[in-house]
Amino acid sequence: MTDTPLLSVRDLVVQFPTRKGVLTAVDGVSFDIKRGEVLGVVGESGAGKSMTGAAIIGLIEPPGRIASGQVLLDGERIDNLSVSQMRRVRGKKVGMVFQDPLTSLNPLYTVAQQLVETVRTHLPLSEKQAREHALALLDEVGIPAAKRRMDDYPHQFSGGMRQRVVIALALAAEPELVIADEPTTALDVSVQAQIIDVLKRLCSERGAAVMLITHDMGVIAETADRVAVMYAGRVAEIGPVRDVVQHAKHPYTQGLMGSIPTLAHDSDRLVQIHGSMPRLTDIPPGCAFNPRCAHAFDRCRQDRPSPIQTGERAVACWLADQEVGQ
Amino acid sequence: MLAFTIRRLIQSIGVMLVVSLIAFVMFRFVGDPVDQMVGLETTIEEREILREQLGLNDATPVQFLRFVGNAIQGDFGVSYQFKRPVATILGERMPATLELAFVSAILALVAGIPMGVYTALRRESVLSKLFLMISLIGVSLPTFLIGILFIFLFAVVFQILPSFGRGEIVDLGWWRTGLLTSSGLKALILPSITLALFQMTLIMRLVRSEMLEVLRTDYIKFCQARGLRSRSVNFGHALKNTLVPVITIAGLQIGSLIAFAIITETVFQWPGMGLLFLQAVQNVDIPIMAAYLLLIAFLFVMINMAVDMLYVVVDPRIRIGGGEE
Ligand SMILES: Nc1ncnc2c1ncn2[C@@H]1O[C@H](COP(=O)(O)OP(=O)(O)OP(=O)(O)O)[C@@H](O)[C@H]1O
Ligand code: SF4
Ligand SMILES: [Mg+2]
C-alpha cells in the first residue's frame, strides 16, 4: 500500500466565529478515500458531515473557515489554493451533488445550457461537441427521450429526474471524487434507490471515488466500501462497512446499528440513541459522547480519545484503547 | 399566455373605470361646473340653458357614461383657467414630462443596477459603504430640498447649468422635444438627476438585497461547486435571477416617476403636466385635475401590463407552464 490515497483529510478543524465565541463544527477529522472507493459518512444531524464536505471542496460560507488541518488531493494540498486555482479543482477534480434537486438548478437556464457551460468551462470542446457530451450524459443518467428533453427548463422535470440532471452536471467534467450530501433525502421514497444506483453506476464506470453522506444505513451497507461515523464534529469510528455494521466497536456506532433491524428494510432513518447530541456551545470535556454512553468511566470525562488505528479500522473510544493495550 | 393577457386586460379596464368614477365625482360634484364657466352677471335662465346643453340635468349614470365615452375619445372638457380644451393643453405638456421621466428612469436604472450589484458582491469594500451612505441620503432627503441644493450649487454658485425651464425646444409637429438642442439637454440635467436620485437609491437597495438573496441559493452554490467562472456565476446566473423581481418593482417605479415629477417640475419650473396639475389645484381647475388623474392612472396601468409581459418573457417558469414528468 504505497500509493497515495486520492483524498486525504488530516486533522481538519472548521470554526465559526460568533458573538458567543468560536464554535468548532468540525474538530480534528481525519480520513482517507482511495481511488474509486465509496466512503459512507453517517451521523446525527449537526455532526459536521456537510461541513466536512464543504471544507473539502472549499465552499464553507464565511465567516466559517478551516482553522487548521489539511486536505490533500492526490497528495497535493487543496485547502490553501487561491480562489482561481480552487475553481479549477471544483467540478474538474471534485464534484458535488446537493441534497435538494428542486433548488439545485438555475430556473432560468435550460438543462442543456447548464450542462454545456459546465462542460466547456473545464474541457476544450466546441459548443457542438459539448452538446453531444451533454446529451450522452443525460442518456447515461437515465433521462428518457434526452434529446427532446435537454432543451427544457428544470421546472419541467420531476424531482427524481432533476436529481439525475444534477448528477450529470456534477460528473460533467469527469471529477475523480464526488461528494454527495444526502442526495436522496429530499426525494420521494420510490425513486431514492434508483438515484443511488445511477450515482453508483456512473461513478464506478468512471473510477470516481464517492463521499456519500447519508442518514440511510441501508444505503451505506449496500453502496459503501467503508464508512465513517461522525459525532459532534469528530470521527467516532471508521472502517470497512461489513466490519463496522456487524461488529461496531464504538458505543455510539453500536447504538446506531442497533437501530437498524435488517438491511433493505425501509425504517432507514437513524433511530436516536437515548438523549441527544450536545450543541456546539456545550460539548462536554473528554469524550463528546460520554453523557449518553452506557460504558462511560472516569477517563472518558477527562481525556478526549483519539482514533486508535487497528488494521483497517479506527475507533475513538477509551474502551477500544484498553482492548488494544491488553 | 393569451388567457393571461385577457385577464390582465380586464383587470386594467376595471381599474380605469374606478379611477374614472373618482374623476367624474370630482368633476361633477366638487363645485358647480356652471359656476366655474360663467361670469357673475349671467342670469338664472342662461345658466339653465347651459346646464341643459352640458347635460348636467340628465340622470347621474347617464352623465357618467357620457363622461367615460368622452374621455375615451380624448375629450376632457374645457379648462376653466385657459378656456381651451383640456386634451390640447395636456398634449402640449406631456412631452416635457415624459422626456423628464424617461431620462430619469434610464439614469436610475443605469446607475442603480450596477451599484446594487457591486455592493452585493463587494460587501466589505469602502466604495460599497460609500454607495450605501449616499443611498441613505437619497432616500431621506426630500426631493425639493435636493432640487434647491442643486440649483444653488450648479446654477447660482458655479453658473454652469440653467435653473429653470426646458431650454430650446424643437417642434416635431406631434412632439415638442428638448432632446435635440444642447440647451435643451443642459436644462434636463438637474431636473432628471433630482428626479432619478430617489428611484436610483431604491433600485440600488432592491438589487443589492435581491442579489444577496440569490447568492445564498443552492443553485448558485452548485454553480460554484461545478467550478464555473465567477464572472459567469455572478453575472450570468445570479444577476439574471436577481433581475426577475427587480423588473416588476423598477417598472412600477417608472410609473411613480411620472407622478413624483410634480415636485421636481415645480422646483425647476419644468413646463410639464405636473406643473400644470399643481397650477390647476391652486385654481380649482377641475377638468384638468380630472384629466391628469385619468392620464396618470392610464400610464400606471399600461406600465403594469408591460411589466407583466416582460416578466413572462424573462421567466420560463411562467412562460412554459407546469412540469411534464
Ligand atoms: N453559519 C454557521 N454558523 C455557526 N454554526 C454553524 C453554521 N453552519 C453550520 N453550523 C453548525 O455546524 C455544525 C455542523 O453542521 P453540518 O451541516 O455539517 O451538520 P450535518 O452533519 O451535515 O447535519 P445534517 O444531517 O443535519 O445535514 C452544526 O452544529 C451547525 O449548527
Ligand atoms: S470513550 Fe468512554 S464515553 Fe466515549 S464512547 Fe468510549 S466508553 Fe463511551
Ligand atoms: Mg448536512
Side-chain angles (χ1 to χ4, degrees), chain B residues 140-209:
Chain B
S140 54
L141 273 192
T143 307
F144 73 88
L145 205 68
I146 293 173
I148 290 168
L149 217 73
F150 277 174
I151 289 177
F152 178 72
L153 270 180
F154 296 100
V156 179
V157 178
F158 298 121
Q159 303 199 342
I160 44 173
L161 292 170
S163 66
F164 68 90
R166 260 187 109 187
E168 212 176 307
I169 302 298
V170 177
D171 195 342
L172 301 177
W174 51 278
W175 189 274
R176 288 155 51 81
T177 182
L179 299 177
L180 295 178
T181 63
S182 66
S183 80
L185 288 174
K186 262 184 161 175
L188 197 55
I189 294 176
L190 290 185
S192 60
I193 292 179
T194 306
L195 185 56
L197 214 57
F198 183 75
Q199 310 298 330
M200 184 199 83
T201 54
L202 268 183
I203 287 172
M204 175 190 132
R205 286 175 166 263
L206 180 73
V207 168
R208 178 185 134 89
S209 67

Side-chain angles (χ1 to χ4, degrees), chain A residues 250-252 287-291 293-297 299-301 303 305 316-320:
Chain A
H250 195 285
Y252 176 64
C287 174
F289 187 58
N290 82 64
C293 180
H295 310 282
F297 51 103
R299 191 177 182 189
C300 305
R301 287 180 270 272
D303 304 327
C317 171
W318 292 126
L319 286 177

